[in-house]
Structure formats: structure tokens, C-alpha cells
Amino acid sequence: MAYGVRYFKHNREPFAITVAGSKYYVIASPQDATDFYANSQTLSWDAFLNMTLMGFGVSAARLDPLWEKPLHPTVVNPAKKCLIHLTQDLYKQHLLPGPTFSTLTAKFKHSLSQLVSSDSFLDRYVRGKTLQAVSLYDLCADVMIDATQMTLFDPILFKIDPGMTRGMRQFTDELWKLLYPSRLLDTREVKALREQYHRAFMIYQRLPRELRQGEAWVVSTLIDQYAQLNIHENDSAAMLVMVYWTGDANAYKLAFWIMSYILFDDELHSTILSEVAPAVKQDDIDLAYLSSQCPRLKAVYYEALRLTKRDFGYRKVDRNTLVGSKILRGGNFGLIPVCQLHDNETIFGNDARQFNADRFYERPELANSASYKPYGGGKTYCPGRFFAMQELFAFVAVLLVRFNVQLAGGSNAQQRFPKLDEISLTFVSQATFTGFLWGGIAVSFVSVLFRLFVRIKAFRRTWVDDYLVIISWLLFLANAILWQSQVDALYNQFRLSAQTLFPTPEILAQQKVYLRSEVALIALFYSCLYAVKMSFLIFFRRLGTNVYGQRVWWWFVVFVATASWASLIGVIQYPCLLKSIEYIFIISIPVLILWNVRISIMQKLTLMGIFSLTVIVMVVAIVRVSVVRTAFNVQADQSWLYLWANIEMAVAIIVSCLASFRQLFMKQDKPRYVPPIDDAKRRNGARKLLSSFRSFLPPIPQHTTLGGSIFTSHKAPQMESSSLSKDAIVPLHDIHVSRNINVSSESLEAGYRHHNLRE
């Protein structure tokens, strides 16, 4: 989408992109975004809600009752709204400032005080009496997720499932797989977490009200509504999971970024600490003070939210709608990429993509800008924005005031500031990676066995190219074994980058071993492909390279392949373009051989297609490089890179076996026996006699002396054939022909004594 904005020279007019057959209109102008959010007549959010409900586990067959309006008004639902829209109203009533909101914030303060205490921290993070470094991401997630659960639900939920909060981070990171399902995605872990939450809330909602007295008003009201409307308990449990996730999903991530910006700037740290200290008392947290008397903290909050809120506003275009100067056609979708609004240099300055703690402090009106929409807009303006701000203010203030928080190693520590991962949605799951790896080993092994079986069955021997294929498979196997031992380290590297794994000495030692192993993995990859290339070259040489030009070209291709392999081994980061060009050179050898063979055009094209199976390997090589690169030339996702490298090795071995099966290169017919010409017919003349000889003799490629005369051959004989043949083509350089012709006819000798016979 950033490319689209640049492509249209930052005019920020709506433009369309097509993804998987669906058209999406991209809205990048602040004013257009405001109009887009405000339009509830022709732009609908309901389609997205249905997709979300099904992602959380609501049955598609039971969605209709959730949208049905009740026949009679109730105290809770006087406007007779459907359950979905009623739920939105209940959120607004509970989460916007008011009586229930005050009750909610009071409960959160109590939960936070319990969790952010010396006893709690010592019990959770300190082992023994030694001072230990703690992952900031873990700390923020542990405290914020637990505090939110304690605020919304009764403590009995912890007794039903004590491990619910531990999986929330993974569930949040992989939820998109449930919202956009595909057979290509590994959803086992996220589905297992969803089922875990379903089981917990199935039990929770069955409990009598007196056992759930500690839950928030909105939760009690929703459970009552589910019961009154006879909502299936599986669906009501799924919707409670949505409530649970909504409260936990984003607060801990934003807390991490706010604390990171503060801790990596000593001056800002000192300023914020002085500002919030009066709000934190021994047994209370003054949220009103934090909201009204801490402009520096509020500025950091707004700025961190601007830089880290990178999601989309989504609508279904029900009918043609004018947005800006463009008409959005009905039946398509509209998207607002929030990052494009937040990175708008016209609004936020030339440093819009960088953190500036003074930006909102010096210009507080930016928080009300049309280009600042971290919580959406219109009727779907997030009602939880006030509660989110106050819980984050409370967490930061308590953590900074009650504890001496600093970077591990002190202010001079060489820690790098964490970076927001905008390279890709996710990496390949570990199960998918190992599944493709060993699946490729199995399929290629069967291909190699079949190749050897065909060779021994047909020719009762093997050749050098067969041994090269075996070597390539053994290199592939060694690569797979090494990956099996290092795959955990690869995925721990991702977890370290995402700040979800703390770099203990054991983890760092594991990463050192992995970095050394990468050299061996890359060397095995290139060597495996080189062995396959040489197998092709040896195989094509046996087909025939007697012509001088063909021999020269063959040696040239061998040189290119060998030089490329040596360069790639010597310089690991060498680009992969040359490797793809080699396959084109290799294909050219059999094409040159076929060019001068006297067979039909259709037969030539068929055989060229068979010889060109190496194009498949070249395509996989191109995909391997292309699929992991982005338009911004950033570092590629290693899981995708290595996955496609393993696929390329497997495909190369399989293709090398397919391209050399005996039946693909055998004669389909056998010369039919032609009876000899009798003496009476030979006496009819020299031309008929010579023609009869040529009907069953091989072509004469050189001048042959016959009875003092010179015969010159110009055309190969035509041989009738039978479909019973199983003879293979013999390599051209192995053919040796000897001819002895005795002619006893005196008339023939007399007729050819003084001149040459010519056809």
C-alpha cells in the first residue's frame, strides 16, 4: 500500500488493488478516511464482524440468530437491537466515562497493585538471591494480561484454567490465521488455544451468578442476554473468548513500547518519573492526576500509539459510494491503512516515521487530527480507548515509581532499541518447515530408487550421472539431518527478534552454534544443486557431442557451472541469479543435439520439452529468491528462504530422475526385416540395384570405393518399423559401421568403370 501511495505521487486519492480475485479500495487521505468512517449507509462493517465471529468459533450455520431483532423491548435492550449491535452498545455504556467505568477502573487499580508488588515480582521473576535481568516484553505481557482478566472476570476463571493468560500472546499473534483461513497455513496451535479458551468459558458461563460475583457488569449482562435469546452455548462461549481477547490483545504491546521509549532515553526517563511520582501513593493510584497533570506521559502515549498502531479500517461497499473524487463500486471492499495516515509527513513533519517525545507535547492538537486514527472512527470508534489510556498510565507510573527500572547492564548497556517487525505477517511455522523438509527427502528418495531400478532393469548397469544423483540426494539428506538439529535455534532466533524470548546464556550459546551451522547448510545446498547440474551435463554428453561446436559448448557450460559453484561456496551471500542462468545453458546442450536430428518437428518439440524439465528447477530457484524479498530491500524472512531452498533441492533431484528415464529416450520402433533383392532384379540396371542396396543399408557418411568407382551418399535410408521395439538409442560416438560389398555382375563392372555412379 505504501508503494501505491508513492506510485500515485502522494496525491492520496483512493486507488484499488486486487488480492485473490477480490478488489480492495485503499483510502489514504485524512479527509477521505473521516468520511469513510462516518458513512454507515452504504459502507458496512457487518461482513467483517461475521468473519471475526467465525474466526473465534461461532458456527456459520448459527449466525442468523445473532442478527435477528427481538420482538419486544427489554430494560437492557429498549431499542430492540440485534445481539451484535446490542453488544456494541453495552461496550460503550461500560467503557465510556460514567458509573460503571469508575467501577471498572477501581477494580483495575486493585488488580495492578497486587501484581506490581515486591512479593509478586520476587515470586515470579527472581530465583534465589541473585539479581536477574527480566524481559521487558514478558513483564508487560504478564502484568497487563493478568490484570485485565482480573478486572473483567471473576477470579474463579483462574481456577478453571490457570494457564489461560500464558497462551494469550501466541493466540493474539496467530489469530489472523483463523480470520483468513487457508489450507496452506498451520493453524493447529492457534486452534488448540481457541479450544482451550472455549472449554474454560463453557464451564464459566454455566456457573450460577453467585459464583461469578467478581466479574464486570458488561460480562454479566452479556451472559444473561445469551441465555435469554437461547444462543447455543458453543457460540456464547466463542463470543466470551472475543470479550476476553479484546481486553487483553493490545494493551501489553503498547505498554512495552512506551516503557522502551522511556528506558532508552535517560532524560525522558527522569522527566516522566518526576511527573508521575505524585500520582502513585502507597495504597492508591490517582488516575485523575495522571490523565490531567502529566502532559509528558500523555505525549509519549500518543506518539507510541501513532508509531505502533499499524492495522486497517475495514468496510464492505454495499453499493456505489463516492469517496473523495472516486466512486467505490458496490460488492467490493474498502480499507484504511492506518499506518499511511500516521506516517503522513504533511501532518506530522519530515520525521513522521521516527519517535519524537515532544511532538504531541508541543502540538497537542495533533491528537484530534483527521490523520490520527489509532482507534478507528465513526460509529465503530473504539469505546475502550479511555480505559486503555488509563490502564497504561497506571502501569507505567506504578512500575517506574515503585521499582528502580533500568536497562540490564546499566545506562551504558549496548542494547539495541527494539524494532517494529514490518517485514512480513509471520514466518513459516516450525511444523510446516520440518514437514516440507522430510517430505522432500521421502519423495526424492523414491525418485532416486525408481531411476536406479529403470537403469538396471533396462541397461543392467549404471553411469556416472546416476552416481552424481545419488551424491546429490546424500547431500540433501545431510542438510535435512543438520536442519533437524538446528531448527529450534532458527525459531528461537525469531522469538528473540520479537522480544518473546529472553536471551539467556544457554540461548545465546545455541545461537552461536546455529550461526556456524548456517555455513554448512548453505554449502550443502549449493553442492547438492551442483551435483544435480553435473548429472544433467554428463547425461547430455552421453547423448552425443561429437560435433566440434557441441563439444566446445559442453565444456563452456561445465566451466560456468563449476565457476558458479566455487563462487557461491567462497562467498556465501553471492546472488542467485547466475545459478538460474546455468540451467538455461544446460538446456541448450540437448536442444543443439536435437536441432540436426532428422525427425519430425513435433518429435523435436516433444523431446525438447522433456530435456527442458530443468526449467522447473530454475522456476523454483527464482521463486525462492523472489518470495522472500520486499520492495524495500530489507532482510528476507529466513524461514521462507530456507523452506524454498529445501524445496528447490527436492525438486532438482526429482527432475533429474524424471529427465533420464529410459523410456523417454528410446526408439519407439524397430526396423522391419526387408528381404534381399534377387539376382534377376539386380540385372535391370545400376540405379535399381543401388536403390535396392540403399533400402536396407545404413547411410554412407563418407566416400566409399566400389570396384574402382566412387559412391557418394546424400540421404539417409528410410526404415520401416514396428511398435514391438524396446531398443534404446545408442550414443552417437559409440557407433562404428563396417561394410564389405561384393559385386559379381560383369555388366555392372563394365558400366561403372569410367564414371561415378550418383543417386
Side-chain angles (χ1 to χ4, degrees):
M1 300 201 184
Y3 174 80
V5 173
R6 292 197 305 272
Y7 180 83
F8 291 107
K9 304 184 186 311
H10 296 274
N11 62 17
R12 296 195 173 270
E13 292 185 355
F15 61 90
I17 59 175
T18 301
V19 179
S22 298
K23 182 176 288 186
Y24 295 85
Y25 297 107
V26 179
I27 313 299
S29 163
Q31 185 56 51
D32 290 347
T34 300
D35 297 340
F36 184 86
Y37 277 125
N39 187 339
S40 60
Q41 302 300 316
T42 62
L43 303 176
S44 170
W45 201 41
D46 294 349
F48 178 75
L49 287 176
N50 278 337
M51 181 177 68
T52 304
L53 288 166
M54 289 187 290
F56 276 91
V58 175
S59 171
R62 296 192 293 267
L63 281 174
D64 289 343
L66 306 182
W67 295 96
E68 293 178 357
K69 294 183 178 181
L71 298 176
H72 306 288
T74 63
V75 175
V76 176
N77 189 12
K80 296 188 296 185
K81 293 187 176 182
C82 68
L83 179 60
I84 299 299
H85 294 159
L86 175 62
T87 302
Q88 295 174 347
D89 288 349
L90 293 176
Y91 272 127
K92 293 176 182 178
Q93 182 177 347
H94 192 57
L95 295 174
L96 294 178
T100 57
F101 180 78
S102 300
T103 303
L104 192 69
T105 54
K107 191 175 180 183
F108 177 81
K109 289 193 297 181
H110 177 71
S111 301
L112 185 65
S113 296
Q114 284 184 300
L115 294 169
V116 186
S117 64
S118 299
D119 292 340
S120 177
F121 273 26
L122 288 173
D123 182 58
R124 176 172 282 186
Y125 300 114
V126 178
R127 297 176 181 84
K129 297 182 179 180
T130 58
L131 182 64
Q132 295 177 337
V134 176
S135 166
L136 178 62
Y137 191 80
D138 287 345
L139 188 151
C140 293
D142 292 341
V143 172
M144 296 300 289
I145 293 175
D146 284 358
T148 303
Q149 177 171 325
M150 294 166 64
T151 302
L152 292 176
F153 300 96
D154 190 272
I156 198 171
L157 184 58
F158 279 106
K159 297 180 180 179
I160 294 174
D161 187 347
M164 285 186 65
T165 57
R166 288 197 294 269
M168 179 51 61
R169 281 184 283 176
Q170 182 178 359
F171 184 75
T172 300
D173 291 340
E174 298 191 15
L175 178 61
W176 67 273
K177 297 180 181 179
L178 301 178
L179 302 182
Y180 306 97
S182 170
R183 294 182 179 179
L184 300 177
L185 299 174
D186 182 5
T187 59
R188 289 175 295 179
E189 293 183 359
V190 68
K191 283 184 176 179
L193 286 170
R194 184 181 65 182
E195 294 306 313
Q196 175 187 349
Y197 296 152
H198 277 199
R199 289 192 298 269
F201 281 109
M202 287 276 283
I203 298 172
Y204 185 84
Q205 67 183 350
R206 291 173 182 170
L207 296 175
R209 186 70 172 268
E210 55 269 19
L211 294 180
R212 299 185 281 109
Q213 293 182 2
E215 67 191 12
W217 172 85
V218 67
V219 174
S220 300
T221 306
L222 285 173
I223 293 177
D224 291 343
Q225 290 297 306
Y226 299 153
Q228 292 175 16
L229 297 173
N230 294 319
I231 302 300
H232 195 285
E233 65 175 2
N234 289 337
D235 298 336
S236 60
M239 288 187 284
L240 285 174
V241 175
M242 281 187 65
V243 175
Y244 179 69
W245 172 81
T246 303
D248 289 335
N250 297 310
Y252 72 89
K253 294 182 179 180
L254 186 55
F256 165 76
W257 287 109
I258 292 174
M259 287 299 302
S260 296
Y261 286 123
I262 292 174
L263 294 177
F264 274 84
D265 186 333
D266 291 341
E267 183 178 353
L268 181 62
H269 185 180
S270 177
T271 300
I272 297 295
L273 179 58
S274 300
E275 187 178 68
V276 302
V280 181
K281 303 176 176 58
Q282 185 174 0
D283 56 353
D284 190 25
I285 307 169
D286 191 343
L287 292 179
Y289 180 91
L290 292 174
S291 299
S292 61
Q293 302 299 319
C294 298
R296 286 286 185 181
L297 176 60
K298 184 177 291 187
V300 171
Y301 166 78
Y302 284 142
E303 180 73 350
L305 191 58
R306 183 185 70 84
L307 288 175
T308 59
K309 193 69 171 178
R310 323 296 284 180
D311 52 8
F312 296 93
Y314 176 94
R315 295 291 186 275
K316 173 73 178 295
V317 184
D318 292 331
R319 57 181 184 271
N320 291 358
T321 303
L322 179 66
V323 175
S325 60
K326 306 294 183 181
I327 294 179
L328 313 187
R329 300 295 178 182
N332 298 311
F333 303 92
L335 292 176
I336 297 180
V338 176
C339 58
Q340 289 302 313
L341 298 178
H342 290 180
D343 294 344
N344 190 339
E345 294 183 356
T346 304
I347 305 298
F348 297 104
N350 295 331
D351 62 343
R353 292 183 62 86
Q354 300 174 358
F355 177 81
N356 183 347
D358 296 328
R359 193 187 314 275
F360 285 88
Y361 179 74
E362 296 173 352
R363 299 174 60 194
E365 71 278 3
L366 288 176
N368 298 317
S369 167
S371 196
Y372 187 71
K373 297 189 180 299
Y375 291 115
K379 289 188 175 182
T380 58
Y381 200 16
C382 178
R385 60 191 183 277
F386 294 104
F387 178 74
M389 183 173 67
Q390 294 210 5
E391 66 174 341
L392 285 164
F393 283 7
F395 170 76
V396 172
V398 169
L399 191 62
L400 292 178
V401 173
R402 292 184 178 175
F403 296 91
N404 180 19
V405 184
Q406 58 182 342
L407 296 177
S411 58
N412 296 323
Q414 299 299 314
Q415 289 196 47
R416 293 181 298 174
F417 188 83
K419 292 184 178 181
L420 193 66
D421 183 9
E422 295 182 315
I423 296 174
S424 59
L425 288 176
T426 186
F427 45 78
V428 182
S429 71
Q430 188 168 342
T432 301
F433 186 90
T434 54
F436 269 93
L437 175 64
W438 289 106
I441 287 290
V443 175
S444 60
F445 178 67
V446 172
S447 300
V448 172
L449 287 182
F450 190 43
R451 173 190 177 113
L452 296 177
F453 170 77
V454 169
R455 287 300 179 93
I456 294 172
K457 181 73 174 177
F459 301 107
R460 303 191 186 283
R461 61 162 295 182
T462 54
W463 281 275
V464 174
D465 54 313
D466 298 315
Y467 297 122
L468 286 170
V469 171
I470 295 173
I471 291 173
S472 68
W473 185 84
L474 291 175
L475 291 171
F476 187 24
L477 177 62
N479 172 84
I481 294 172
L482 187 55
W483 263 125
Q484 189 65 38
S485 67
Q486 295 301 319
V487 68
D488 289 337
L490 171 65
Y491 283 84
N492 281 339
Q493 187 181 85
F494 297 148
R495 297 181 185 102
L496 287 170
S497 300
Q499 307 289 326
T500 59
L501 180 67
F502 188 73
T504 63
E506 294 78 11
I507 294 296
L508 294 177
Q510 180 194 55
Q511 291 301 306
K512 289 181 180 179
V513 174
Y514 168 67
L515 290 175
R516 296 190 188 100
S517 300
E518 270 193 312
V519 177
L521 288 166
I522 296 174
L524 288 170
F525 166 69
Y526 289 134
S527 299
C528 173
L529 294 183
Y530 177 72
V532 171
K533 294 170 192 173
M534 292 306 300
S535 172
F536 275 117
L537 288 169
I538 297 298
F539 172 67
F540 292 148
R541 180 177 175 82
R542 289 195 304 104
L543 289 181
T545 53
N546 273 354
V547 179
Y548 176 76
Q550 293 176 357
R551 289 200 305 271
V552 171
W553 184 248
W554 187 88
W555 280 109
F556 171 74
V557 176
V558 170
F559 171 77
V560 170
T562 305
S564 175
W565 173 77
S567 300
L568 292 167
I569 293 297
V571 185
I572 296 300
Q573 290 83 10
Y574 195 83
C576 300
L577 176 61
L578 184 60
K579 181 161 60 61
S580 298
I581 295 176
E582 294 168 40
Y583 287 115
I584 299 177
F585 289 156
I586 294 172
I587 295 169
S588 67
I589 296 174
V591 171
L592 291 174
I593 295 173
L594 286 172
W595 190 257
N596 295 318
V597 175
R598 294 178 179 272
I599 57 177
S600 69
I601 294 296
M602 186 57 66
Q603 289 174 310
K604 284 184 179 182
L605 293 177
T606 301
L607 286 174
M608 285 182 185
I610 294 171
F611 289 133
S612 299
L613 285 172
T614 49
V615 171
I616 299 174
V617 187
M618 185 172 66
V619 169
V620 175
I622 294 172
V623 170
R624 178 177 62 83
V625 176
S626 301
V627 77
V628 296
R629 292 198 175 183
T630 67
F632 299 100
N633 195 29
V634 296
Q635 184 179 1
D637 186 328
Q638 288 190 0
S639 62
W640 282 105
L641 180 68
Y642 287 129
L643 174 67
W644 279 98
N646 293 330
I647 292 174
E648 184 178 352
M649 284 187 281
V651 170
I653 295 171
I654 294 169
V655 167
S656 70
C657 296
L658 291 175
S660 61
F661 285 167
R662 173 179 178 268
Q663 56 265 41
L664 299 179
F665 306 104
M666 58 182 276
K667 283 185 179 179
Q668 299 299 320
D669 305 307
K670 181 177 181 179
R672 189 179 65 186
Y673 173 75
V674 180
I677 308 299
D678 57 31
D679 292 340
K681 291 185 178 181
R682 285 201 300 268
R683 294 191 184 97
N684 289 334
R687 288 186 179 276
K688 290 184 178 181
L689 177 61
L690 181 60
S691 178
S692 297
F693 276 122
R694 291 176 61 82
S695 67
F696 63 91
L697 287 175
I700 304 175
Q702 58 186 7
H703 297 300
T704 303
T705 303
L706 179 63
S709 301
I710 299 176
F711 291 80
T712 304
S713 174
H714 292 281
K715 185 171 67 175
Q718 296 181 356
M719 306 181 71
E720 300 183 19
S721 58
S722 167
S723 62
L724 299 177
S725 170
K726 294 189 180 296
D727 291 340
I729 290 178
V730 180
L732 300 180
H733 59 273
D734 289 340
I735 298 177
H736 304 280
V737 179
S738 174
R739 284 161 294 185
N740 296 318
I741 303 176
N742 295 321
V743 181
S744 59
S745 172
E746 296 179 359
S747 60
L748 180 62
E749 182 181 355
Y752 285 85
R753 182 171 299 147
H754 300 293
H755 62 275
N756 295 335
L757 286 178
R758 297 185 182 275
E759 183 179 354

